[in-house]
Amino acid sequence: MELRGEAAVERSDAVKVWNLRIGREVVVFGFVGIALLSSTAAQQTVSEQVPSPAAVSAQASAGNATQPHNDSFVIGNDDVLAINVWKEPEVSRSVPVRSDGRISLPLVGEVEAAGRTPLKLEQDIASKLKNYISEPEVTVIVQQINSQKINILGMVAKPGAYPLTGSATVLDAIALAGGFRDFAKKKSIYVLRQNADGTQTKLPFNYKDVIKGQNLKQNVKLQPRDTIVVP
């Protein structure tokens, strides 16, 4: 009976030791898990706070990017211009280019706008403002382009003025105007082009040749204020 009692005590002690060992391992694993979670969270926080090299490069590029002034567009009559003078709201405004090619601004007065690029007009306005404002900073933006138009007249379905878009040609304009009416003289079409000196150039266009693939040079790229005449 004493041996059995001693054996029972030994088993009880062994169970206690085993449970204690398991408890220690659980505690150790718990601390390890908490440490791993903390490390992962810290890494995530750091990764969120510190942008990647690609992101830094993109941000730098975006910050340093400048939009160069487009100096190829020539302002024309009826275009609408947004003129901004930095820190001078009384002078800043949107103005249309009149039929005489000029605009009016406070302090500046009359300024020739038609035939100039936005950059050249900025310089002209800034030059006149120097009498009133120290180092004026002027920006000219073309809000509406109304001068870039062509006219098509004569024996077409819908004669009139049309906006000039892209690289439109004579064929494009005829299609835009709905095609020919009956008895149109398709061999005698011509384009009237305005020259810088005020004169006009007459460019012949033989529709029947062009659609056959002949004399394709006649299908010229249209320019602002071109007039296509279909007799």
Side-chain angles (χ1 to χ4, degrees):
M1 293 293 294
E2 291 181 359
L3 290 175
R4 289 181 181 177
E6 291 177 358
V9 171
E10 289 178 358
R11 282 197 300 271
S12 176
D13 293 339
V15 169
K16 291 180 180 179
V17 171
W18 175 256
N19 289 338
L20 181 60
R21 184 179 299 171
I22 291 177
R24 289 176 178 174
E25 291 178 354
V26 168
V27 171
V28 170
F29 281 123
F31 280 120
V32 170
I34 292 172
L36 288 174
L37 289 174
S38 300
S39 176
T40 303
Q43 290 176 357
Q44 289 178 347
T45 302
V46 171
S47 64
E48 289 175 358
Q49 293 177 348
V50 180
S52 65
V56 172
S57 176
Q59 290 176 359
S61 301
N64 296 329
T66 58
Q67 295 295 331
H69 205 302
N70 182 4
D71 198 29
S72 61
F73 179 81
V74 177
I75 298 168
N77 295 353
D78 301 322
D79 288 339
V80 179
L81 309 177
I83 299 174
N84 181 67
V85 183
W86 190 55
K87 291 187 177 180
E88 298 295 336
E90 296 82 4
V91 184
S92 303
R93 61 193 57 202
S94 294
V95 293
V97 181
R98 301 195 307 259
S99 58
D100 61 356
R102 301 171 73 83
I103 60 173
S104 298
L105 289 172
L107 302 181
V108 177
E110 298 284 317
V111 183
E112 189 72 30
R116 286 167 167 72
T117 63
L119 181 59
K120 180 64 171 64
L121 184 56
E122 288 176 0
Q123 295 169 351
D124 292 347
I125 295 173
S127 177
K128 295 198 173 200
L129 284 175
K130 284 181 179 178
N131 296 327
Y132 310 96
I133 301 171
S134 176
E135 298 182 358
E137 296 184 19
V138 182
T139 303
V140 175
I141 298 173
V142 182
Q143 280 187 326
Q144 295 180 18
I145 301 175
N146 298 322
S147 62
Q148 304 287 314
K149 292 182 179 179
I150 57 170
N151 299 303
I152 181 163
L153 308 174
M155 301 296 287
V156 290
K158 297 181 291 182
Y162 292 90
L164 180 60
T165 57
S167 302
T169 63
V170 180
L171 278 179
D172 294 328
I174 293 171
L176 192 63
F180 300 108
R181 293 168 59 187
D182 295 339
F183 310 114
K185 296 180 181 179
K186 302 177 184 178
K187 293 182 179 181
S188 303
I189 301 168
Y190 57 92
V191 178
L192 289 176
R193 176 157 293 171
Q194 304 289 331
N195 299 320
D197 58 2
T199 60
Q200 288 185 332
T201 300
K202 185 177 180 179
L203 307 174
F205 179 82
N206 187 325
Y207 174 81
K208 291 191 174 182
D209 281 352
V210 172
I211 61 173
K212 291 178 182 177
Q214 302 171 3
N215 298 324
L216 295 179
K217 290 183 179 179
Q218 296 181 89
N219 190 29
V220 295
K221 179 181 176 181
L222 296 174
Q223 297 180 6
R225 298 185 297 167
D226 277 353
T227 299
I228 304 163
V229 180
V230 182

